[in-house]
Structures are given as structure tokens and as C-alpha cells.
Amino acid sequence: MNIDDTTSAAVLEQLQRRPADERRILFTGATIVTMDPDLGVIDRGDLLVEGDTITAVGPDLSVGDVVLVDATGTILSPGFVDTHRHAWEAQLRRIMPDVDDLGGYVMSTLAGYATVYRPEDMYIGTRLAALTAIDSGITTMLDFSHNSRTREHSNAAIEALRDTGIRGVHASMGPHFGAWDRQWPGDLARVRHQYFSSDDQLLTLRLATLATDEIAGPALAYGPELARVAADLGIGVSVDAVFGTSSSEAVMRWAKDGVLGPDVTLIHATGLTPEAWKVMGETGTTVALAPTSDAQIGLETAIPAVDEALSVGIRPGLSIDVEVALASDMFTQMRALHAIQRMRAVNAAYGTDRQPRRITTRDVLDFATLQGARTNGLAAVTGSLTPGKKADLLVIQAEDLNNMPLNDPIGTVVLGSDARNISAVLINGEPRKWNGHVLDVDLSALRSEVQASREYVLNAPTA
């Protein structure tokens, strides 16, 4: 924001003094990347937030009593939407940065570290992941929480999301290995009643499951039985480890059984057959890509399936996946996907007279915002700076050393920016990062908790 530290602190104090439901914030003079197809990019525009909602976007808005934020020299963007992250693993970040395959990850993390996690470790890892997401501009995060060993483990993961103020999606699944209470999926009814009784809240619930029984057995594999559980609870489904021949066969079965559709998300989707993609497109099933996970860990073909998705009319969301081996931020996912797809497109056309079919920076920002929201079942709530949607937005410094001068705002967001350029993050109208700092976090205390949890997990005998 185009104000000094003292003035910025004064503006924040004004905001925090006002009751949230009575607060009115007017951002002025910004370049607004709305990601709304009808609104586009607005040069030197204003944006009004009333309570938790965006109520107006446009040039030279005339309003009454507001907290005024001079956003000259900045880009306003929708917050990023992470469609799949195993947040509980965060205290094990980059513990295996050069993992060679899925088996290495599964045996070290899911068959090893996961088995000793206590509820407090679930809380600490999930909270750390969510705060890091906020710091890097992710305002919505789907936590694929596949270590729900007891009801207390589930509670801890949900409460961690709640305590950070992120727009969180708790996708619950039982663990792959080790001792657990076998309370899942039955306990989801209790979870829904205790934590998700309102449809108008920051947190939402989904059922998490696997594509096949190859890794963890039939109890965790998606099919009609788990589809009925989700339908009875009125929640969506996120299916992980969707890749290869066996997953392609499963997709065809699901289509025959009538358990695909817009409320089902298939994660990764690498190495699937054209027939599987065809039914996915026909049923409106959503897809969550994990660009760095597919490429770096080498999942099936190791190629993010963006071309396959687009060919059947699916615009995918993007995700982080596992921080034990990967980067934590959405900028990395956008850049990786942008580079990989364009490299493949040009390579495929090389030596011929065909024109490469390349995606754009606008495409990947769309995937990281609006399509991510749709994938998480939240398209009506977030993902674009559209009046009537919740105020989940980023203030990105366009005149910082690495961004100046501002020539193309979408290109600057996707290819130029990183967490240091995000001066403010609002979630549901509430400031969660301001003047470059995540709010309401005692970093010293958090650091001690994270380190203590990591030491426990690394040194406890595995089950």
C-alpha cells in the first residue's frame, strides 16, 4: 500500500476498532484484477468491502463513512485457492526434498511418521500450514486430512483451521497405516453437527478418499458406499491418488454407478485414459492438479494433466500437496504449470507447421483462483472480486523492486510476485496479513511448538 508503516498501522487500528459487521473499507487507486469474466482488469479502480462482502468495484466510487486505504501502486487480486494439501505434515517440511517416487513418500510419511501423530501434532502441523498459506496469499485451503486416527485428531485439525481465520475446507479421511479407531467415516455425522452446522461460515466439510484400494485397502477407496455417506451428509468428495490404468478403470465404474459429478474432485488425474477423461468431462467432475507434485515426485506420467482436462472442458484447480517434498506457495504452482505446458506444446509442434496450443498467465491465475473455488464447491463464495462475493483478496505491491514498472498486471501476479510483495490479505473481510506481516501470531511461541512437535514425531517409535 502506498503509505508508510506508521500510517498503515493507524489504518489497521481503525479497522480493528470497528465491529466486523459494521466495517466499511474502501481501497482506492489500485489496478484491480477481478478474475470476473465480465469485469476484467480495472486500471486505477476502487473496491468497497462492507462487513465480510465485496459490494462494489469500479472507478471513482463515491461512498460515505469508510476506512480509506490508498492502494495506489498496488494490484488487488482474489486470494488464491488451494484445492488439496496434506496440512498435518507441515512440521516435516522438506524433510525429503529429493524423494524419487510415490512409494518413498508413502513408506516414510504415511507408514512411518503419520502413525505416531498425536492430536496436538495434528493441530500444530495444520495451523502452521494454514498460516503459511495466508502469508503467501492463499485465502482458501482444502486440507486433505488423511490422518484422522481418532475423533480427537479430527477435532484438532478442524480447530487449527478455525483458529487461523483461513477459509478452510476440512476433507476428512482415515489413515493408510497403523492403529486407529476406525471411527471414519461414521464419525463424519458428529463432525458435521459439531463444527459445520451452518452453511454460512468460513469452514466447510468434505469427505476425502482414495481412488483405488492398492495402497491402503478397500475401506478408503471411493465407490457407491462412500458416495452415499457424502450424499446423506450433503457434502462434496475429494478423491486422491487418481492416476494410471487402475484409476482409469475406477473412473469408468464410478460413471456407470452414477457417483461422478460437479461435487466430486479427482486429484492429480495423471496417466488417465481418453475414455476416463471423456466421462469426467461429460459428468462435470472437477479436477485438482498438483503441478510440482506430479513433476517432481514423478506420479505416473509425471506430467500435470492440464491439456487433458481442457480438452474435455474441465478447467482445473491447483494445489500444493505435500510440503515434506514440495514448495508451500501458489506462485510456484502457477509458474511450474505455465512453463511445463508451454514447453510441451512447443515441443510437440517442433519441426511441423502446427501452431503450439499454449496456455497463458491468465489461464493459470484463473485456475489458482476462480476455478479453484469451483473445484472446492465455493464458486459462489470466493475466487473473484465480484460484488456479492466474500472479501477474500490480496494487496500486491506493484512498485517493489522485483515488480516495477507495472506493465501487465496478470503477468506481474503470476510471474513476478511472491509472498514478500503481498502487503495485505483479507479473508471474509478480516485483515489476516497487514503491512507485510501475518497478524495475531506469536512467531516465537509457534516456532517452539513446531520444533517440539517435530522432535517428538521424528523420535517416537512408530506403530
Side-chain angles (χ1 to χ4, degrees), residues 80-84 142 264-269 277 285-292 294 304-306 309-310 313-321 330 333-334 337 363-377:
F80 304 131
V81 179
D82 183 354
T83 57
H84 149 243
L142 184 142
V264 175
T265 299
L266 305 186
I267 300 168
H268 296 292
W277 277 107
T285 299
T286 58
V287 169
L289 300 182
T292 59
D294 296 334
V306 61
L310 293 175
I314 298 174
R315 293 187 68 80
L318 303 184
S319 68
I320 306 303
D321 200 1
M330 190 60 70
Q333 309 310 316
M334 290 191 290
L337 185 64
D363 283 321
V364 293
L365 186 56
D366 179 51
F367 302 157
T369 54
L370 187 57
Q371 302 310 322
R374 184 179 61 84
T375 301
N376 282 351

Side-chain angles (χ1 to χ4, degrees), residues 241-260:
V242 181
F243 28 66
T245 302
S246 58
S247 288
S248 297
E249 294 169 352
V251 169
M252 301 304 289
R253 288 196 304 273
W254 301 334
K256 183 178 178 180
D257 292 334
V259 295
L260 289 178

